[in-house]
Amino acid sequence: KVIIAGAGGAAALAGTIAALTTLPVIGVAIKSKSMEGIDSLLSTVQMPPGIPVATVGIDNAGNAGLLAAIIIGAIDEKVNKKIKNYKDSLRRKNIDKNTKLKKIGWHKYLNKNIK
């Protein structure tokens, strides 16, 4: 239902796929050595008129998968419910982190939670 295409360097893989299909395409820019993935990002996001490609951040295939599920969830209630549950769990985790941060202070929180 949705295609996810990852490419590094100046490859416009997602755009090439989008030109050949009517399915939604999500591009994932892969970090490269020469430009830290900026070249990948620009080649993925800069598609010509008529060739739309949704693009997520560099090396962020997780968000691409989530966006694909959200697109599918727009017509599939079972998938939509799973997305809602997932987002609710993220909200609860953030509230728990915020509560902990307020309780122990930012300095201790960072020392315990940043690797």
Side-chain angles (χ1 to χ4, degrees):
K1 305 289 181 193
V2 180
I3 297 171
I4 298 173
L13 177 64
T16 302
I17 293 170
L20 299 172
T21 185
T22 58
L23 294 174
V25 176
I26 302 169
V28 181
I30 306 299
K31 189 174 181 179
S32 57
K33 291 181 182 180
S34 63
M35 294 184 68
E36 299 295 311
I38 299 299
D39 52 341
S40 308
L41 181 64
L42 292 174
S43 66
T44 302
V45 76
Q46 287 295 106
M47 292 297 113
I51 312 295
V53 172
T55 307
V56 297
I58 298 167
D59 286 346
N60 206 335
N63 266 357
L66 183 57
L67 180 56
I70 290 168
I71 292 168
I72 293 167
I75 57 171
D76 184 327
E77 187 55 40
K78 189 175 180 181
V79 173
N80 187 285
K81 185 172 174 91
K82 289 181 181 184
I83 294 297
K84 287 178 184 177
N85 290 340
Y86 175 72
K87 286 189 170 192
D88 284 345
S89 75
L90 287 180
R91 183 182 53 78
R92 284 191 303 276
K93 286 179 187 177
N94 283 327
I95 289 170
D96 290 346
K97 287 178 184 180
N98 189 45
T99 301
K100 183 177 179 182
L101 174 65
K102 286 178 180 179
K103 183 178 180 181
I104 67 172
W106 69 269
H107 189 70
K108 285 182 182 178
Y109 181 87
L110 288 179
N111 285 336
K112 288 184 177 184
N113 292 290
I114 301 297
K115 295 175 184 176

